[in-house]
Amino acid sequence: MDAGRSRELSGEITYAGVLHLHQLLSLQQPLSREPSSEELLFVVVHQVTELWLKQALADLERARDAMTGGDLPLALRLVRRATDVVRVIDRGFALIEALPAYEYRRFRPWLRGGSGFQSAQFREFEILLGIRREFALDQPAFSAEERRRIQERLRAPGLWDGFLAAARAQGLDLPGREQAAADPEARDRVLETLRELYLTGNPPLLRDLAEALVELDSAVALWRHRHAVMADRQIGSKPGTGGYGVEYLYRTARIRAFPELWEVRAYL
Ligand code: HEM
């Protein structure tokens, strides 16, 4: 490399500059009148969760495209990394779980109607996984930009569409969800094809991919469950700041993005 180019590369770039640290570290603004490190923790965990959701969305979008394009090793690597990201999010929730409820109540009133229920990225994440919950998608709290992103996600194929494309490209007879919902014979074929895939491991990598998707689904369900337990410990039977509450959260722990892959377990 010539000296001029090397100077150009090492030039004005600093650690703080690359990471926009000045802006980043000025974004933790407490709402209450007597802010403490407990409120800081609450804000940091939420912000970090949003950053990790951004990463998971980017990885899973690429994973879906890799499945559609037949690059199964890449899809596998990215689905597994997104699963690790979900587990890191889960660890952040454990930090809040240990936040004493008597500390949380000091700043909770200041949150007013602000709730994770209004996280547009979380809704995008669900949609990409193939989970459609219409009632959660039309919220007054969403900005025009967030609505646009959600609509775009709804139009785009999800991870299961990617898996179907990869399976069909390898010659598997795997009907889609609409077909399976309308036709019991197609539904049986889904189970039979998946059972065959699980028992033979053929074609290679597709079974690994199916298991990686189950692993991701499982990590999300555990995270949902931890969220419910954590919220239970903080607010018990009080309504949530978004108006739904803890029982709602416990119910969400039953949600599965890839029900076909769970159902087939009963036949193995
Ligand atoms: C003291 C801590 C927390 C409590 C008590 C709590 C409580 C709740 C409750 C009760 C709901 C249901 C909606 C409502 O009634 O508001 C909810 C939803 C949600 N919260 Fe939390 N939460 C806490 C921390 C977090 C953190 C750190 C995040 C990370 C961003 C988060 C993300 C979410 C998301 C994404 C939903 C929507 C879940 C769904 O609709 O399936 N929450 N939370």
Side-chain angles (χ1 to χ4, degrees):
M1 193 190 297
D2 67 78
R5 174 108 181 98
S6 133
R7 249 198 323 277
E8 193 185 302
L9 285 181
S10 63
E12 297 302 310
I13 308 258
T14 63
Y15 177 73
V18 171
L19 300 178
H20 300 281
L21 277 189
H22 178 68
Q23 290 98 316
L24 185 66
L25 297 178
S26 66
L27 296 175
Q28 295 71 45
Q29 301 291 343
L31 288 171
S32 72
R33 278 216 196 95
E34 294 172 50
S36 69
S37 68
E38 313 293 345
E39 188 174 349
L40 180 63
L41 176 81
F42 186 84
V43 171
V44 167
V45 171
H46 277 85
Q47 288 185 345
V48 167
T49 300
E50 290 292 337
L51 288 177
W52 282 127
L53 281 172
K54 185 172 183 172
Q55 180 68 42
L57 283 168
D59 280 344
L60 291 177
E61 207 172 71
R62 267 178 82 208
R64 176 205 57 204
D65 294 346
M67 286 190 246
T68 312
D71 189 345
L72 300 194
L74 178 63
L76 207 46
R77 180 169 74 76
L78 292 170
V79 170
R80 285 179 176 152
R81 183 163 72 198
T83 305
D84 279 343
V85 165
V86 171
R87 291 186 177 131
V88 172
I89 293 178
D90 193 36
R91 285 296 302 151
F93 274 42
L95 279 168
I96 298 233
E97 201 184 339
L99 167 79
Y102 51 84
E103 291 284 354
Y104 177 52
R105 70 181 285 283
R106 284 156 61 105
F107 59 86
R108 184 173 191 251
W110 298 91
L111 307 175
R112 306 225 175 85
S115 164
F117 193 77
Q118 299 154 353
S119 165
Q121 283 206 114
F122 184 71
R123 299 304 164 205
E124 287 185 68
F125 178 74
E126 287 191 323
I127 295 167
L128 185 52
L129 255 63
I131 298 165
R132 298 277 193 276
R133 296 201 293 153
E134 307 298 337
F135 77 97
L137 300 182
D138 185 21
Q139 301 195 38
F142 287 151
S143 67
E145 164 60 16
E146 287 173 331
R147 282 173 195 280
R148 190 195 58 71
R149 286 199 329 251
I150 287 173
Q151 289 309 317
E152 211 167 283
R153 293 270 176 213
L154 285 168
R155 281 192 296 273
L159 279 176
W160 188 246
D161 298 308
F163 184 81
L164 287 177
R168 288 171 188 165
Q170 306 235 22
L172 263 60
D173 177 15
L174 201 52
R177 283 184 181 157
E178 273 181 24
Q179 202 188 341
D183 171 8
E185 205 231 320
R187 183 179 169 276
D188 289 349
R189 236 169 35 246
V190 171
L191 280 177
E192 196 40 53
T193 304
L194 289 176
R195 181 171 181 275
E196 187 76 9
L197 171 66
Y198 268 101
L199 295 182
T200 62
N202 236 337
L205 289 188
L206 211 56
R207 177 172 63 182
D208 293 338
L209 196 53
E211 274 310 270
L213 291 176
V214 171
E215 190 92 359
L216 172 64
D217 218 4
S218 172
V220 174
L222 290 171
W223 164 33
R224 288 188 195 269
H225 184 71
R226 183 193 290 284
H227 184 197
V229 174
M230 176 257 278
D232 206 354
R233 188 164 157 186
Q234 297 297 343
I235 61 172
S237 59
K238 278 188 237 172
T241 46
Y244 283 85
V246 167
E247 286 311 316
Y248 162 80
L249 290 179
Y250 278 119
R251 281 199 301 281
T252 65
R254 295 292 306 175
I255 294 174
R256 296 291 181 271
F258 312 108
E260 302 86 346
L261 296 178
W262 293 86
E263 195 179 351
V264 74
R265 257 130 259 272
Y267 303 95
L268 296 182

